[in-house]
Amino acid sequence: MLNSLKPALIGQPQLKALPPLSLYIHFPWCEKKCPYCDFNSHQVKDRSENSKNGQGFDEARYINALIADLETELPRTWGRQVHSIFIGGGTPSLLSPEGMDYLLSAVRARVNLEPNCEITMEANPGSVEAEKFAAFAKSGINRVSLGIQSFQDAQLKALGRIHNGNEAKRAIEIALQHFKSVNLDLMYGLPNQSLEAAKADIETALSFKTPHLSFYNLTLEPNTYFANFPPKLPNEDEIDAIFEQNLALLEAAGYRRYEVSAYAKKDQECKHNLNYWRFGDYIGIGAGAHGKVSLPDKITRQVRERHPETYMQAMESKGNALIESKEIDAKDLPFEFMLNALRLTDGVDTVTFGERTGLPLNVVAKGLDEASKKGLLDSNPNKLKATEQGLRYLNNLQEMFL
C-alpha cells in the first residue's frame, strides 16, 4: 500500500470531525529552578515577601487571570467536551487547597467536562503534604505526576532537586493514599550514573506498584545551566545499556512501553498525553502556555505571554495574553502530525492522519516510502508506526516528513 501512494499537492485541510479536546493549565512557579530545566518556570521569591500564601506569588491574581484566559477560548470551543485536564509547571502543588478548589470549580462552571475526566496535577516531592494532597483530591484531582527523577541523594543533589530519597518515597506513599492514579517521573543517564545505580532507581520505583512510569534520558537543553556548565554524563554505550536493562525490568513488572518515554500497566495510559500524541486539540492557558484548536477548515495554534507578571498584566489590561495566534500552514501539518504520532509504540491507524490533519495520506507518500525502505517505518498498510529501529532513531524518522 505504501508503494502505491503517489505524492499529492497540499491544499487546505478539510476536517470531517473535530478531534478530542483537552485543557492544559500552566503554573509557572517552583521553589528552585533545576539546572536541566528548560520549561517556563520561575523560582518563587523569599517566602516572607508580599504574599498571602507565603510563597512569593499572588495566587488569587494569577488564578483570576487563568479564569479570564479560559473565557477567551470559549467562543472557539463552545459545545465541545473536555476529556482531560493537565495542570503543569513549575510546581502546581505549591497552590493552596483553597486556590486549587476555586480554580477547578471555575473550570467546571465554564466547560463541559467528560464524566470521569482525567485531571492531572504535577507535584514536586519536596512540596508534598498529606493534608494538602487530601484536599487536592477532594477538589477533583484524580491523577498526580511526581517528579522523582532519582531516589539517590547524591544524584538528586547533582540535579538540583529540593527533595531527598526518603522524601521521594514518602511523597509516593501519600499520593497512593489519595489519588486514583499516580505517575513517577524518573531520569536516566544522570551525572556519573552507573548501571547498578540506574537499576536501583527502577527497582525502588517498581516496589511502589504505581500504574504509570515515565522514564526518560537526561538531555542538555539550550538556555539551561547544564548547557553552559555541562556535568559528566555517561557515554552513549553506557546510556544504551541503562535503557535496555531498565526496559527489561519494566516489562517484567507488567509495564508496557506505549510511548517513547512512557510506561503503563494495562489501561493506565495517560489520556491527556495520548491526546497530544494523536494530534488532538488542547486549550492552553497560563503564562507561556501553547494551545492547538481545530476548526472544520483550519487548525490554529496560540502562544501566551511567557513571564507571569507580563501575562497577568496583559489579561488585566487587554483581556488577552496572546503573543501569537496563527493558522498552521497546510504544508506543515504532516510534519506536526508525524512528530507526535510516531512517538507511540503502537503508532496510529492510517485513517487518523486524514481525520486529524484534514489532508489525504498521499501528501506524505514520499516520506512513507523512504522511511519504509530504511526499516524505520512498519510496513503494515493500516498503520503509521515506527519500527524498533525507528523508535531508536526517532529524530531521523520524523525529519523525513519535514
Side-chain angles (χ1 to χ4, degrees):
M1 191 280 293
L2 297 182
N3 291 333
S4 69
L5 288 173
K6 294 182 179 179
L9 295 174
I10 300 180
Q12 284 297 110
Q14 297 294 325
L15 274 68
K16 295 180 181 179
L18 300 180
L21 179 67
S22 296
L23 171 63
Y24 175 76
I25 303 173
H26 191 71
F27 182 84
W29 288 283
C30 56
E31 292 196 70
K32 181 183 177 184
K33 182 78 171 180
C34 296
Y36 57 84
C37 178
D38 67 338
F39 294 129
N40 182 30
S41 58
H42 304 262
Q43 187 166 323
V44 294
K45 299 176 183 177
D46 186 289
R47 289 178 179 270
S48 64
E49 292 182 20
N50 307 322
S51 169
K52 292 179 181 178
N53 59 14
Q55 291 162 347
F57 59 88
D58 191 331
E59 179 176 283
R61 185 184 175 209
Y62 189 71
I63 291 174
N64 285 332
L66 288 173
I67 296 167
D69 196 359
L70 177 60
E71 289 176 346
T72 68
E73 289 294 320
L74 297 182
R76 297 192 312 135
T77 57
W78 193 255
R80 295 178 65 181
Q81 195 171 58
V82 169
H83 85 157
S84 66
I85 299 173
F86 196 102
I87 308 169
T91 306
S93 53
L94 289 175
L95 276 168
S96 69
E98 297 78 14
M100 182 68 77
D101 188 60
Y102 182 78
L103 173 60
L104 290 177
S105 295
V107 169
R108 290 190 192 92
R110 288 161 177 80
V111 298
N112 178 21
L113 298 187
E114 181 181 281
N116 302 313
C117 177
E118 178 189 88
I119 305 178
T120 303
M121 175 190 72
E122 289 185 329
N124 187 316
S127 65
V128 169
E129 301 167 20
E131 289 185 7
K132 204 174 185 184
F133 264 29
F136 286 152
K138 190 175 180 181
S139 295
I141 303 291
N142 51 32
R143 183 176 184 275
V144 69
S145 181
L146 291 170
I148 302 295
Q149 316 314 356
S150 176
F151 290 97
Q152 298 171 52
D153 292 350
Q155 294 287 9
L156 290 167
K157 185 176 181 180
L159 292 172
R161 304 296 289 172
I162 65 170
H163 66 277
N164 59 36
N166 286 332
E167 287 170 330
K169 294 171 187 175
R170 176 178 171 273
I172 298 169
E173 290 168 352
I174 293 172
L176 287 168
Q177 291 171 14
H178 296 291
F179 300 103
K180 179 181 177 182
S181 184
V182 176
N183 169 62
L184 307 182
D185 272 350
L186 291 173
M187 284 184 175
Y188 68 98
L190 304 180
N192 300 303
Q193 187 179 39
S194 67
L195 196 62
E196 294 74 19
K199 182 180 181 182
D201 270 347
I202 281 289
E203 288 180 335
T204 302
L206 293 176
S207 70
F208 290 98
K209 297 180 172 59
T210 61
H212 195 285
L213 285 167
S214 297
F215 178 55
Y216 53 98
N217 187 13
L218 171 63
T219 54
L220 304 185
E221 301 292 346
N223 304 314
T224 63
Y225 181 86
F226 272 2
N228 295 321
F229 304 96
K232 180 175 174 24
L233 301 179
N235 62 41
E236 188 173 335
D237 288 342
E238 291 170 328
I239 288 173
D240 286 346
I242 289 172
F243 173 77
E244 294 298 336
Q245 166 194 261
N246 288 9
L247 174 61
L249 291 168
L250 285 160
E251 290 179 343
Y255 291 84
R256 189 177 77 89
R257 186 189 188 197
Y258 71 97
E259 188 268 345
V260 170
S261 304
Y263 302 77
K265 295 286 185 71
K266 184 176 171 56
D267 299 324
Q268 294 297 317
E269 295 85 356
C270 176
K271 293 180 182 178
H272 189 88
N273 287 342
L274 277 175
N275 192 43
Y276 285 152
W277 296 322
R278 290 170 176 162
F279 210 52
D281 281 356
Y282 52 98
I283 300 168
I285 60 172
H290 291 233
K292 168 189 170 281
V293 175
S294 300
L295 299 170
D297 61 346
K298 60 184 176 181
I299 300 172
T300 61
R301 285 203 182 277
Q302 307 83 33
V303 183
R304 267 73 177 166
E305 289 280 0
R306 184 174 176 84
H307 194 278
E309 180 59 32
T310 309
Y311 168 79
M312 290 186 288
Q313 287 179 2
M315 289 307 309
E316 291 162 354
S317 62
K318 301 186 299 182
N320 194 310
L322 291 176
I323 57 172
E324 184 178 298
S325 181
K326 67 176 184 178
E327 180 179 342
I328 304 175
D329 195 303
K331 65 180 176 58
D332 295 326
L333 284 171
F335 173 69
E336 291 214 16
F337 178 89
M338 294 296 188
L339 188 67
N340 289 280
L342 292 176
R343 293 180 62 90
L344 293 167
T345 58
D346 288 341
V348 295
D349 294 339
T350 50
V351 295
T352 308
F353 179 85
E355 290 172 350
R356 299 295 160 86
T357 66
L359 301 172
L361 185 63
N362 57 0
V363 301
V364 290
K366 182 180 177 181
L368 294 176
D369 187 48
E370 181 185 359
S372 185
K373 286 178 178 176
K374 290 186 175 181
L376 302 179
L377 195 71
D378 194 288
S379 59
N380 183 339
N382 300 313
K383 284 281 188 180
L384 298 173
K385 175 185 174 182
T387 60
E388 285 191 22
Q389 187 178 3
L391 288 172
R392 184 180 178 86
Y393 299 102
L394 187 60
N395 288 343
N396 302 76
L397 173 58
Q398 292 164 332
E399 286 170 1
M400 291 179 182
F401 300 95
L402 267 173

